[in-house]
Amino acid sequence: MNDALAIAARLGLAAPQAVAVGDRWSAGSGAPLSVTSPIDNAPLAEFAAATAADVEAVVAAAHEAFLQWRAVPAPVRGELVRRIGEKLREHKNDLAALVTLEAGKITQESRGEVQEMIDICDFAVGQSRQLYGLSIASERPEHRLAEQWHPLGAIGVISAFNFPVAVWAWNAMLALVCGDAVVWKPSEKTPLAAMATHALVAQVVVAMDEAPPGIVGLVIGDAKVGDALARHRRLPLISATGSVPMGRAVGSTVAARLGRALLELGGNNAMIVAPSADLEAAVRAIVFSAVGTCGQRCTTLRRLIVHESIADELLARLVRVYEGLPIGDPRDEGVLVGPLIDAAAGEAMETALATAKEQGGRVLALGKDASPRVAETVPAGGVYVRPVIVEIEPDAAILQQETFAPILYVLRYAELDEAIALQNDVPQGLSSAIFTGDVREAERFCAPTGSDCGIANVNIGTSGAEIGGAFGGEKETGGGRESGSDTWRTYMRRQTNTINYGRDLPLAQGIRFDIY
Ligand code: NAD
């Protein structure tokens, strides 16, 4: 048994299987799916993938479970999520180790990902007692007008490889306290972490009498399985995290059946560094945001917009840090940059660099052999790359696209208005930041005329959001919001109640309709 399967077994997964309803596991009815580790390309598991037929069975079970779960008082549903949080706390390091083996994240970041799951559990437990409605003044005498929130149904969650477990938890923990059932289609690149998470959660669900096991379902397969979820009329809400093309496909399929979609898609995030910025803090934030998770976060910093008066100094400091970045096995203490997810990601990085050069880009921090590939001191079989900086003109077409790799484009600016316009001049709108010591500039950046992104930060980087705020972005990022704030409303249906406690029947707007 390899390390991944040994860890998964400790988390309660007897053998990898593609389909689960609560603690009942079954083989998928599709073709074999092989999982390898991005660390060294070692095989981790092979199992039969799920198909659309498997989706049918899991959704049917989820719908039945929902019919019971919706009647369980919300604070009792919160108790389930409290226990899930406790379970995750107990197994945090094992689950994180599995994320590292399967997604290639460094151990620190994998533990952070599991911590996010724990944090959203805590948040959702509190939320379970705060599913507040509204009391509204009625225009009619002896009438009460109110708004309340009811459970929505079974919801589908499609997740991406780069946050193989946390994104599911952001959705599922809120959905569960809201009285929904959840069917999860994780990335086919990271199925073991999903299976192990499901196995842990299913143990908690089956141990609680009030919870029907079918409230948590799992189907593992490729895009066709995601498409089957998107089409399913028993899933009133589909939450989908991934690339913009995936979001276009899922969004239009769900729209065609007039369902609801919560879309969390690609980013093309920028940071402005103003002359008054604390450069030391800026360098730390830039490096964490640009090279963390090897440039494979939706919030990864991709465009740095630096004032011309400090650009040379900032670039010199960044190049020094980039040249010393520890790249290697993500399990090793001290390594900050692990592998890319697969060979295609390495090729996408090389293609983007070649295109950037054609468009006038000047590549910095590339190392001696003019290739981002790193072959020495890293495990054989993985795709290890050196994060790079590319100085480029603002009109280069490559700036409009998200390449899921550690490439940081640098642009220079003279006036803040120009910098904000550059920052907003891309199709995506997820995360943004400004480093400045000037309160006017900071407020301008956060004002309606400032950043057009879902996230706008001051004196911190673009990545590493807390779960307390609503997370998501505008434009091609999809407009969805997950996690904190009032995001819970997405997982419920709103009902307006007008109650007449008098003996007359006055009509709204003063309309008279006398039948006697
Ligand atoms: P991807 O789009 O290739 O896959 C994401 C998920 O969608 C997978 O489960 C996949 O099987 C499924 N899928 C793909 N095509 C589908 C289709 N036509 N119908 C239904 N399901 C389909 O993305 P990825 O490579 O796993 O992840 C990287 C992308 O995700 C990047 O663009 C990144 O910015 C984005 N992302 C966004 C957020 C966010 O919150 N905004 C978070 C993480 C990742």
Side-chain angles (χ1 to χ4, degrees), residues 270-279 282-283 286 301-318 364 389-392 394 408-416 418-420 422-423 433-435 441:
M271 180 195 290
I272 297 170
V273 186
S276 58
D278 173 340
L279 283 195
V283 166
I286 291 164
L301 176 61
R302 309 209 177 273
R303 297 175 299 132
L304 187 64
I305 305 168
V306 192
H307 193 266
E308 56 192 12
S309 63
I310 52 164
D312 288 339
E313 185 187 347
L314 182 61
L315 273 176
R317 286 200 198 192
L318 282 174
L364 310 172
I389 299 170
V390 180
E391 197 173 359
I392 199 158
L408 178 64
Y409 299 108
V410 178
L411 320 173
R412 297 178 190 233
Y413 79 91
E415 300 294 333
L416 184 63
E418 175 197 354
I420 291 173
L422 283 175
Q423 124 83 37
I434 188 169
F435 263 78
E441 286 190 333

